[in-house]
Amino acid sequence: MTAPSNSKQPSIDPLVIAISSRALFDLAESHQVYEEEGLAAYQQYQIARESEPLPPGDAFSLVQKLLRLNEQLEESPVQVILLSRNSADTGLRIFNSIKHYGLDISRAAFSGGESPYRYISAFNSHLFLSTDGADVRRALESGVAAATILPSNKAAAESATLKIAFDGDAVLFSDDSERIYKKDGLEAFTRNEVAAVDEPLSGGPFKPVLAALQQIQMAFPIGESPLRTCLVTARAAPAHERVVKTLRHWNIRIDESLFLGGLDKGEFLRAFDADVFFDDQQGHCDSARNHVATGHVPSGVANDVD
């Protein structure tokens, strides 16, 4: 429902999301031509089919719901930027597909075979979504929240409400506490969290994304936001209290919080009906993607490369 025209909405700094063409659309068939027959054959293949819309990719539904937020507010709180290794010539099929599906995406970088990640910061992006893990790592290293979108057979979430779920340590929060757990075990982790209960956790790579989402939520009347957020963490009491106080210190409200104490996250994510879930641990992601669209965040101690 569009807000009444006489209601004064707070100014919103847009949430800028950069997405790779292979996360937005299913380019598996095209990529197979490139792998088996080479660049020239790929170029001919795409040009010959540039009027044929590409099938939706694993992040398509998420992007579609994010852009629908722009239809419900006077300002456009979400901007989506397309990043692609295609040239502008072969990328014409991608833009035609964007037009076919009615997606409000007008800005793009076609890098002609080179990695396009270097344009992420130039577009002032808050978030980068890609199927290329190397590009995602580079984005994280440059200070931009990023996730590798994993293949999933999960259908689009049924709810009209956009629902985004986050892991805690190494995603919303720093991995300082996670490092204690990895090094010294659960008891040492719990002792540390109890002792430091009044010390806010440092922010992780997705803190700015959560803050931007909250600004969008606040532009809607109370109880009418078409966007919900959820924290899904392996933490349990008493380690939960530091998380609650940290979010309070940040002045960030999260709609739902699940403290699972090591239980498998997949069924809970399905119950939340998440459009996407972001987690730093590959094992959790492999489980979650059977239930919801999932983005692996290769940050923190769980992803340290020896």
Side-chain angles (χ1 to χ4, degrees):
M1 180 177 69
T2 303
S5 58
N6 61 353
S7 62
K8 180 65 175 178
Q9 298 175 2
S11 178
I12 306 172
D13 291 327
L15 171 64
V16 183
I17 300 168
I19 186 167
S20 72
S21 53
R22 291 181 65 187
L24 184 60
F25 296 115
D26 183 353
L27 285 160
E29 186 176 300
S30 308
H31 189 67
Q32 185 176 358
V33 172
Y34 172 75
E35 291 287 330
E36 295 179 356
E37 302 179 40
L39 179 58
Y42 171 80
Q43 291 172 332
Q44 293 173 2
Y45 180 91
Q46 293 292 58
I47 291 171
R49 291 164 178 78
E50 62 186 26
S51 62
E52 298 178 14
L54 290 159
D58 288 304
F60 179 91
S61 177
L62 171 65
V63 168
Q64 192 175 49
K65 279 192 171 183
L66 280 162
L67 289 172
R68 282 177 185 163
L69 296 173
N70 293 341
E71 301 170 6
Q72 302 177 65
L73 292 171
E74 294 173 3
E75 297 183 72
S76 294
V78 177
Q79 296 178 7
V80 176
I81 312 296
L82 179 76
L83 301 182
S84 176
R85 292 175 184 265
N86 280 273
S87 65
D89 196 28
T90 57
L92 186 56
R93 186 183 183 191
I94 297 169
F95 254 133
N96 286 344
S97 298
I98 288 171
K99 181 179 179 181
H100 169 80
Y101 292 109
L103 301 178
D104 183 17
I105 300 175
S106 59
R107 293 176 179 154
F110 294 101
S111 58
E114 297 295 320
S115 171
Y117 87 92
R118 62 188 184 276
Y119 295 112
I120 296 169
S121 296
F123 279 117
N124 295 317
S125 303
H126 296 88
L127 174 62
F128 175 53
L129 303 176
S130 177
T131 58
D132 189 310
D135 281 356
V136 167
R137 282 184 175 273
R138 293 188 188 104
L140 283 166
E141 290 167 359
S142 69
V144 177
T148 307
I149 298 298
L150 303 178
S152 173
N153 294 323
K154 169 67 171 63
E158 297 179 1
S159 172
T161 301
L162 172 61
K163 297 183 176 183
I164 301 179
F166 303 89
D167 181 35
D169 296 297
V171 177
L172 289 182
F173 314 115
S174 74
D175 72 335
D176 294 345
S177 297
E178 182 74 10
R179 288 185 179 275
I180 294 173
Y181 170 73
K182 291 287 186 183
K183 181 176 181 290
D184 299 318
L186 180 59
E187 289 187 8
F189 167 84
T190 302
R191 286 196 303 271
N192 180 76
E193 297 310 284
V194 170
V197 65
D198 293 321
E199 298 176 18
L201 290 155
S202 300
F206 276 71
K207 177 188 174 183
V209 176
L210 180 61
L213 291 172
Q214 177 169 284
Q215 290 301 308
I216 295 173
Q217 288 178 308
M218 291 172 63
F220 289 90
I222 295 175
E224 296 184 21
S225 174
L227 167 64
R228 286 185 70 82
T229 55
C230 183
L231 170 67
V232 184
T233 174
R235 285 177 178 248
H240 74 294
E241 188 174 355
R242 191 179 184 194
V243 166
V244 173
K245 289 188 173 182
T246 294
L247 291 170
R248 188 182 297 162
H249 175 79
W250 290 352
N251 197 28
I252 289 180
R253 176 183 59 82
I254 202 158
D255 295 299
E256 302 187 32
S257 299
L258 305 178
F259 298 97
L260 301 182
L263 292 176
D264 185 80
K265 298 178 180 180
E267 288 293 336
F268 293 92
L269 289 163
R270 185 167 65 88
F272 177 61
D273 197 24
D275 288 284
V276 68
F277 171 57
F278 297 108
D279 198 299
D280 66 303
Q281 298 198 39
Q282 187 69 53
H284 292 166
C285 290
D286 289 339
S287 172
R289 70 180 183 174
N290 294 320
H291 304 272
V292 300
T294 302
H296 175 233
V297 183
S299 70
V301 64
N303 296 280
D304 283 350
V305 179
D306 293 332

